[in-house]
Amino acid sequence: MKKSTWRDKSKNHVNPDDFSEIEQYDKTSEGLFRLHVPEYFKKLIDFNNANDPLLLQILPSKHEHANSGHFSKDPVGDLNSRKAKGVIHKYHGRVLLIATGTCAINCRYCFRRTFPYTENNASAYHWKEAIEYLKENLDVHEVILSGGDPLMLSTKVLTRFTDQLKTIKHIKTFRIHTRIPLVSPSRINDEFINWLSNVKLNKVMVVHCNHPNELKKNHKKVFKAINKTNTFLLNQSVLLKNINDDGEILSELSHKLFSFGILPYYLNQLDKVIGTEQFFISREQAKTIHQQLLAKLPGYLVPKLVEEISGKKNKTPLI
Ligand SMILES: *Cc1c(COP(=O)(O)O)cnc(C)c1O
Ligand code: SF4
């Protein structure tokens, strides 16, 4: 029998039958944002528990039709900051590239559910426009591959990018924003680790984990391998109602991340994207939860509570 590849594992493995016990499931919400869950993440979900914190992140829910009028399609103003194909330059010194439009998992709370990716992706046309933009902008010293999820791209396509990046002397730091090491860890194979080892820039990987249940023992070797490539590992979470809006859960997450070689970086206020109102936590509640973290954790394990406000030159700390 043919061995299954990483691509098979990152395909959608959940179907409507899996939600037969879940009252909030709504088939029509799949039309708003496709249901897509990889094999590994599916195994961590308890489908008999309607409140399972991993289930709630992927469940097409009837609540996605709520529309108070306070949520919009592009609340963070990304479309206005587009400088070239897949190039978003909002902040000083660093440029974010939308490497690809796809992800291994579709998280229901994500701003990606409304972003027009097909015409906005930097890896199409062999990264040409992105590389030209980076060459011309001498004050940019850090490039961030984001998405979608950049690790959806083959290692060959990633190599094609970093080979061109090498020739741009003012780029010092290479950053990857990805959820794949958590939700589909078999992507982090030897070929990938070899490639990352050979990138001779300062390297940062920001993973995305919201709840301690997402981190399992067998992730340990994955993060160890990444750490060995001299890549700093950081985590960002999104503060999500009924999933991780709790000081105990988030402090457990911080401790667990640390034991896997990852430091907490950002705790993001939800971007107010249409279809995500059921996940929203008010600023006041968010600050209260953050205070609980400050009271429980050593400073280096407290993520920065931030919000992305359209037009601002940095993520805005909520204090
Ligand atoms: C979040 C973000 C970054 C990275 O911000 P840091 O504070 O450096 O982590 C860069 N560009 C854009 C457009 C962003 O949204
Ligand atoms: S960009 Fe990140 S948060 Fe959004 S759907 Fe993809 S993996 Fe999930």
Side-chain angles (χ1 to χ4, degrees):
M1 211 166 72
K2 195 169 162 275
K3 216 172 132 216
S4 70
T5 63
W6 173 75
R7 289 235 166 251
D8 298 330
K9 291 178 182 159
S10 78
K11 278 189 190 145
N12 182 34
H13 283 264
V14 170
N15 61 59
D17 294 342
D18 294 315
F19 300 129
S20 56
E21 303 296 318
I22 312 292
E23 193 261 329
Q24 307 99 295
Y25 171 65
D26 174 21
K27 174 104 186 115
T28 66
S29 293
E30 287 184 47
L32 301 173
F33 191 37
R34 205 160 56 87
L35 169 67
H36 190 87
V37 184
E39 186 180 31
Y40 189 87
F41 196 84
K42 179 184 177 180
K43 286 192 192 144
L44 305 183
I45 296 176
D46 176 2
F47 286 94
N48 295 315
N49 173 9
N51 299 316
D52 181 81
L54 274 54
L55 173 75
L56 293 177
Q57 296 182 48
I58 56 94
L59 176 73
S61 141
K62 61 183 182 189
H63 301 298
E64 291 176 35
H65 298 283
N67 187 354
S68 65
H70 299 298
F71 285 55
S72 68
K73 282 203 163 163
D74 182 23
V76 299
D78 272 353
L79 290 175
N80 287 330
S81 307
R82 192 174 23 169
K83 307 293 178 187
K85 235 178 227 102
V87 177
I88 299 185
H89 191 180
K90 282 210 270 201
Y91 301 161
H92 177 76
R94 51 224 198 273
V95 158
L96 188 143
L97 300 184
I98 294 177
T100 171
T102 55
C103 290
I105 184 167
N106 280 351
C107 314
R108 307 310 293 180
Y109 52 84
C110 181
F111 69 100
R112 198 174 71 86
R113 55 188 291 141
T114 57
F115 199 77
Y117 274 101
T118 33
E119 70 267 37
N120 277 300
N121 134 20
S123 63
Y125 314 105
H126 309 298
W127 307 95
K128 196 163 172 291
E129 285 198 26
I131 291 289
E132 274 168 23
Y133 184 84
L134 295 172
K135 277 186 180 156
E136 284 162 11
N137 286 273
L138 299 177
D139 61 339
V140 173
H141 57 80
E142 174 167 8
V143 65
I144 305 168
L145 289 188
S146 182
D149 197 311
L151 300 198
M152 290 301 281
L153 299 171
S154 68
T155 304
K156 209 166 130 199
V157 170
L158 293 170
T159 308
R160 197 178 289 149
F161 177 67
T162 48
D163 280 351
Q164 295 178 77
L165 206 57
K166 269 196 286 210
T167 66
I168 310 177
K169 290 282 173 280
H170 54 276
I171 302 292
K172 307 290 184 206
T173 302
F174 176 55
R175 191 194 315 184
I176 302 173
H177 283 181
T178 177
R179 190 147 160 71
I180 283 182
L182 285 146
V183 303
S184 209
S186 53
R187 167 68 183 98
I188 310 302
N189 55 13
D190 291 346
E191 186 196 15
F192 177 85
I193 292 295
N194 271 335
W195 162 71
L196 195 56
S197 305
N198 286 322
V199 175
K200 303 296 180 203
L201 293 163
N202 304 320
K203 287 170 289 195
V204 185
M205 183 184 280
V206 183
V207 296
H208 171 178
C209 179
N210 297 314
H211 191 282
N213 290 6
E214 290 169 46
L215 266 173
K216 293 290 156 193
K217 267 206 198 90
N218 45 357
H219 282 113
K220 219 159 211 168
K221 65 175 191 309
V222 167
F223 291 115
K224 201 169 201 168
I226 295 170
N227 258 330
K228 272 196 177 158
T229 69
N230 270 331
T231 302
F232 272 90
L233 274 165
L234 302 172
N235 180 63
Q236 58 178 334
S237 310
V238 181
L239 195 50
L240 298 164
K241 189 169 172 179
N242 297 332
I243 294 174
N244 62 5
D245 55 336
D246 179 290
E248 287 291 333
I249 290 172
L250 287 174
S251 74
E252 185 191 340
L253 176 61
S254 278
H255 281 298
K256 206 163 175 187
L257 286 164
F258 183 58
S259 73
F260 283 62
I262 308 168
L263 280 177
Y265 180 39
Y266 280 146
L267 178 59
N268 296 288
Q269 260 293 69
L270 183 78
D271 296 326
K272 290 179 154 186
V273 172
I274 254 171
T276 66
E277 298 194 16
Q278 77 272 21
F279 298 112
F280 184 69
I281 298 283
S282 73
R283 282 182 184 149
E284 289 317 309
Q285 287 169 294
K287 285 192 241 180
T288 304
I289 293 166
H290 193 247
Q291 289 290 339
Q292 291 167 356
L293 296 184
L294 286 167
K296 272 181 206 292
L297 292 168
Y300 61 89
L301 291 187
V302 181
K304 298 176 181 76
L305 176 64
V306 293
E307 178 169 351
E308 189 150 355
I309 300 177
S310 185
K312 287 272 166 67
K313 289 293 188 189
N314 51 272
K315 311 231 187 278
T316 307
L318 289 184
I319 39 173

